[in-house]
Amino acid sequence: MAKIRKIEQTAPAIVPRKKVAAYARVSVESERMSHSLSAQVSYYSALIQRNPDWEYAGVYADYGISGTGTARRDEFRKMVEDADARKIDIILTKSIQRFARNTVDLLETVRHLKGIGVEVRFEKEGISSMSGDGELMLTILASFAQEESRSISDNVKWGTRKRMAEGIPNGRFQVYGYRWEGDGLVIVPEEAAVVRRIFQNFLDGKSRLETEREFAAEGITTRDGCRWVDSNLKVVLTNITYTGSLLLQKEFIADPITKHRKKNRGELPQYYVEDTHPAIIDKVTFDYVQAEMERRRELGALANKSLNICCFTGKIKCPHCGVSYMHNRRTDRGLMEFWNCGSKKKKKVGAGCPVGGTINHQNLMKACADVLGMEEFDEDVFLDRVDHIEVPEKYTLELFFKDGNRIIRDCPNTGHQDCWTAEYRAATSEKRRKYGTNPRGATCFTGRIKCAECGNNYRQQTRKRKNGEKYHMFSCATTNTCGNNSIHEDDLQRLSAEAMGLDAFDASAFSERIDHVVISKGGRIAFHFKDGGIHEASYSTKRRAQPWTEERRKKQAKAIRDSFTGERRQKMRESMKRLRKERGDGWRRE
C-alpha cells in the first residue's frame, strides 16, 4: 500500500528590515561647506532609501562644529540617544574624520554602540565596527585623524600669530564701551560713561564691592542686561584696550583637542599695538590704577575698607588649614565680637578646621596686652612688635614676634558668659515665660495651649505620613502619663478663627485677642480671651485615616492573594474536615 505524507504549508520567513541612519558633519561655516553638507545628506538619504533591506531612520548632520569633542554636536548626541532607544541598527558615515577627530571619543562611542548591537560603517576606510579587526583599525586611523586635527590647529595658530605680529587682531572681539565699524573700534558714549565712572570710583578709593552695590541701586547693567559684579569690574579695570591700544594674545588654547583656554603668563609672546582706536581712559590713569591694584593686593584685606577690619585682620593664622581667621560680630545677645577659622566658609566634606571653637575679641586683646606688658591694649605697639599669631589648639594663642621670639598664651572663650547682662537675662526670661523654652521655633500657639488634666503646656510635634507629607500636631508635654487628646494644627487654626469670628485664621489677631486655650478630654476646647470672654467648642478626636487609593487597593489585594500559600490552604482544608467530622451535619449552623 502506498504511503501518503502530508506536507504542511509553511509561511515564508520575513526578515525584518534594518533601521539605517547616517551621520554627516562639516567644521567650517561657509557657503561651499554648506553645499558639501547638503550633498552628504542627499547622498545618504538616497542610498538608504534605494536599499530594499533597509528602513530609512534619518540623517543626522552637524554644521560648523569641530569634531574634536561631542559636547556641542547636538545632532551627534541625538543620534546616540536614538540608538539607545533602539531606533537605529546601522549608522553610515563618510569617514573617521567626519565621525570624530578625538580618539577617545571615537572609541568610547563605537564601543558603546557595539555593546547595544548598533553597527557603524566608515565608507572611506571600508571599516565596520562589528568586524574582528574593526576596533584595531579604528584606533590606528583615529589617531591619525586626531594628529591631523592637531596639525591643522598648529597651522591656524601660526597664521594667527603671524597676523598678530603685524598688528592685526584675531577676529572682532567684544569689549564693553566699544563697537566695531568696519575694521576699527568706535566708542559707544553711554557705555564709555560707565567705564569712566568705574575708573573714577576706584581712584576715589572705593572698592569694587562698593561700585557693584552703587550700580545695583541705580539699575546700571552690563550690555547683556546683567548685574555688574566684582569679576566684571576687575576685567574693565585691567583691560588696556580702554587706553586706545591693543594687547594681542592675552590668552591661548593649550590643547586643540580639549580646547582648554589659558591666560598667557609669558608662555607665548604678546604683541602691543599702540593707537589703534580712540581711548576712553588715558594711559597715565590706567597705569596708576594698575599700581594701586597691586598695592591693595599686597595689603590684602586691610586695603578693603568695606570689610570689618582691625589690627588683627590677616594676622591670626590657622597652622592646620593655612588660612586666616575671620572677624565676626553678633548683635542678637548684645554686641559680641569673635574670630573663627576661615575654613568655615568652605562648604566641602572634610573642610572643617580641626582646632574648632572661636576666639573672643576682648579676651584676645587682653592676652596680647598681657604678653606685650601693657595695662591696656595698643594697636600701634601690637603692629610694631608682633608679626602674626597662630592658633595650634583650641583657645590657645602662639604669638610670633618680629624679633624671632615666640610666646604661647591661653585665651579662653567667655563670650557666652559675657553676653548674659542683667538686661539680656531679664528679656530672655520674659520671652521663655511667654513663649516656652524654644522661642526660635515658636508660633502664636506656643505656651498658650494648656492641658485641663495636668496643667502643662501643649507642644508642637512634626509628624510624617506614609507619602512623605509632613503635618503638625499639638500634644500635652506629659503625653506618656497624661493621656489627654492631641489636636491637629489645622483644627486648632480653624477653631481659633471661629472663636474670633474670622473667615480665616490670623496669627497676629490670635496673639492680640486670646490669652490662652484649655483642652479637655473628649475633644472639648475653651478659648479664654484677654477681655475675660470664653468661647467653648469641640473637635473630633478620631484618628484621621488616609483615603484608599487605587494603588493601595491593588497592593492590599495582592498581599492577601500572596498570603494564601499552598501550605496555608492545606491547613485550612484539614481544619474544615476536622470541624465537619466533629460537628456532623450541623457544622454550618454552628
Side-chain angles (χ1 to χ4, degrees):
M1 183 176 178
K3 292 183 179 180
I4 300 173
R5 182 168 59 87
K6 183 180 179 182
I7 301 174
E8 298 289 346
Q9 182 180 1
T10 58
I14 300 175
V15 180
R17 295 195 300 167
K18 295 283 188 180
K19 297 184 283 291
V20 182
Y23 177 73
R25 180 188 63 82
V26 294
S27 57
V28 180
E29 294 185 10
S30 67
E31 185 176 353
R32 183 173 65 85
M33 289 294 103
S34 178
H35 290 316
S36 172
L37 186 64
S38 300
Q40 292 183 55
V41 173
S42 301
Y43 166 75
Y44 283 116
S45 297
L47 176 65
I48 297 170
Q49 295 180 51
R50 279 199 308 266
N51 194 323
D53 297 330
W54 289 353
E55 178 184 337
Y56 181 69
V59 177
Y60 301 83
D62 284 311
Y63 176 58
I65 300 175
S66 171
T68 55
T70 61
R72 296 178 56 206
R73 290 198 280 166
D74 297 334
E75 287 292 299
F76 184 87
R77 288 188 285 107
K78 182 182 177 184
M79 177 185 68
V80 176
E81 290 173 2
D82 289 346
D84 289 334
R86 300 296 187 269
K87 297 179 182 179
I88 302 173
D89 296 318
I90 301 174
I91 297 174
L92 306 178
T93 187
K94 182 179 178 181
S95 66
I96 291 175
Q97 295 178 358
R98 298 301 95 198
F99 198 77
R101 284 187 178 271
N102 186 322
T103 306
V104 175
D105 287 344
L106 173 70
L107 294 178
E108 284 183 352
T109 305
V110 169
R111 285 171 182 168
H112 171 72
L113 294 173
K114 184 178 179 180
I116 61 176
V118 178
E119 179 185 3
V120 183
R121 296 180 183 178
F122 302 90
E123 284 195 314
K124 181 180 177 181
E125 293 82 4
I127 298 175
S128 169
S129 62
M130 293 298 186
S131 63
D133 59 349
E135 183 164 332
L136 174 62
M137 296 300 296
L138 283 174
T139 304
I140 296 172
L141 295 175
S143 299
F144 285 132
Q146 178 172 308
E147 288 308 310
E148 183 182 356
S149 176
R150 194 182 299 275
S151 176
I152 292 171
S153 175
D154 290 340
N155 292 337
V156 172
K157 286 179 181 177
W158 182 87
T160 300
R161 290 166 187 166
K162 193 72 174 174
R163 289 193 298 273
M164 286 182 180
E166 297 174 359
I168 303 173
N170 182 29
R172 296 189 175 186
F173 53 86
Q174 298 296 318
V175 57
Y176 186 82
Y178 291 100
R179 71 171 184 272
W180 285 93
E181 282 190 4
D183 294 331
L185 288 170
V186 296
I187 294 176
V188 180
E190 301 81 12
E191 296 179 358
V194 175
V195 172
R196 294 189 185 99
R197 183 170 173 183
I198 293 172
F199 275 86
Q200 189 59 50
N201 279 4
F202 191 84
L203 294 172
D204 291 342
K206 294 182 180 179
S207 66
R208 295 197 296 264
L209 179 61
E210 288 177 300
T211 301
E212 176 185 335
R213 292 170 177 169
E214 188 178 295
F215 283 7
E218 298 179 21
I220 300 174
T221 62
T222 64
R223 182 178 294 174
D224 297 327
C226 300
R227 173 174 172 159
W228 282 97
V229 294
D230 180 80
S231 58
N232 306 98
L233 298 170
K234 182 179 179 182
V235 168
V236 171
L237 290 169
T238 57
N239 195 344
I240 199 170
T241 306
Y242 294 116
T243 64
S245 302
L246 291 177
L247 182 62
L248 306 181
Q249 199 157 248
K250 297 177 184 177
E251 297 178 340
F252 65 96
I253 295 177
D255 189 343
I257 305 302
T258 61
K259 305 294 185 184
H260 178 61
R261 184 178 293 273
K262 289 181 62 178
K263 192 177 236 7
N264 188 358
R265 302 186 185 278
E267 296 89 342
L268 295 173
Q270 292 182 327
Y271 305 94
Y272 182 63
V273 189
E274 295 182 290
D275 301 327
T276 58
H277 54 277
I280 296 177
I281 303 297
D282 62 86
K283 186 66 165 57
V284 175
T285 301
F286 180 82
D287 290 341
Y288 177 81
V289 168
Q290 306 316 301
E292 176 63 14
M293 290 182 71
E294 181 62 29
R295 186 189 71 83
R296 295 186 187 183
R297 190 179 300 111
E298 291 178 358
L299 285 174
L302 294 173
N304 192 345
K305 59 185 179 60
S306 63
L307 298 178
N308 181 23
I309 61 175
C310 66
C311 64
F312 296 115
T313 302
K315 290 278 190 179
I316 309 175
K317 307 289 184 179
C318 177
H320 304 280
C321 305
V323 296
S324 299
Y325 270 55
M326 300 183 302
H327 191 191
N328 298 276
R329 288 182 177 179
R330 288 183 61 175
T331 57
D332 56 336
R333 300 179 181 180
L335 180 60
M336 291 175 58
E337 293 186 77
F338 60 94
W339 297 78
N340 61 356
C341 181
S343 62
K344 189 175 182 180
K345 274 193 172 183
K346 299 178 181 178
K347 298 180 180 179
K348 296 181 181 178
V349 178
C353 179
V355 176
T358 60
I359 300 174
N360 181 268
H361 184 73
Q362 297 298 325
N363 292 351
L364 174 63
M365 290 194 296
K366 290 178 183 177
C368 291
D370 184 35
V371 171
L372 295 171
M374 299 183 294
E375 294 184 1
E376 292 186 2
F377 180 74
D378 189 315
E379 289 189 2
D380 295 332
V381 175
F382 172 82
L383 292 172
D384 183 57
R385 296 180 57 186
V386 178
D387 182 72
H388 68 280
I389 300 174
E390 291 187 1
V391 187
E393 298 177 8
K394 194 173 183 179
Y395 308 143
T396 302
L397 303 179
E398 186 172 5
L399 282 76
F400 289 76
F401 289 83
K402 293 183 179 180
D403 59 7
N405 292 328
R406 291 188 299 173
I407 297 178
I408 296 177
R409 185 59 52 94
D410 291 335
C411 184
N413 189 352
T414 60
H416 289 286
Q417 293 89 333
D418 297 340
C419 76
W420 285 98
T421 60
E423 296 80 6
Y424 182 69
R425 191 181 297 276
T428 302
S429 299
E430 177 62 25
K431 188 181 291 185
R432 289 181 176 176
R433 281 195 298 269
K434 190 174 183 180
Y435 299 111
T437 58
N438 186 21
R440 183 170 295 180
T443 69
C444 63
F445 297 123
T446 304
R448 294 173 186 257
I449 315 301
K450 309 291 182 181
C451 177
E453 303 301 316
C454 62
N456 286 316
N457 289 337
Y458 267 50
R459 291 182 179 177
Q460 186 188 62
Q461 298 176 345
T462 302
R463 300 182 183 179
K464 186 183 292 186
R465 297 187 174 94
K466 290 185 177 180
N467 60 3
E469 180 185 356
K470 292 182 180 180
Y471 65 97
H472 292 141
M473 295 282 294
F474 278 85
S475 303
C476 181
T478 56
T479 303
N480 295 335
T481 57
C482 176
N484 199 358
N485 303 116
S486 299
I487 183 170
H488 280 262
E489 186 178 43
D490 53 356
D491 282 341
L492 189 55
Q493 291 178 350
R494 175 179 57 80
L495 294 169
S496 299
E498 292 175 358
M500 294 184 292
L502 302 175
D503 294 332
F505 176 73
D506 188 333
S508 59
F510 181 90
S511 301
E512 291 175 4
R513 298 178 57 186
I514 296 180
D515 182 72
H516 66 280
V517 180
V518 178
I519 294 180
S520 306
K521 284 188 175 181
R524 289 177 292 133
I525 185 170
F527 293 88
H528 294 254
F529 288 80
K530 291 183 179 180
D531 60 5
I534 300 176
H535 176 85
E536 296 183 350
S538 61
Y539 64 94
S540 175
T541 59
K542 292 182 179 180
R543 183 179 178 183
R544 296 185 182 181
Q546 293 294 312
W548 281 51
T549 62
E550 189 63 28
E551 181 182 0
R552 186 179 177 187
R553 292 179 188 278
K554 291 180 180 179
K555 186 177 180 181
Q556 185 67 17
K558 183 178 182 302
I560 293 173
R561 288 196 300 271
D562 294 344
S563 68
F564 280 91
T565 60
E567 183 181 357
R568 185 178 179 186
R569 291 178 186 275
Q570 181 63 28
K571 288 183 178 180
M572 290 180 68
R573 281 195 291 267
E574 292 174 358
S575 177
M576 293 303 297
K577 286 179 182 179
R578 188 178 68 254
L579 285 174
R580 290 191 186 99
K581 187 175 180 180
E582 292 175 355
R583 298 179 182 180
D585 295 336
W587 70 275
R588 290 181 181 275
R589 290 189 295 273
E590 293 181 12

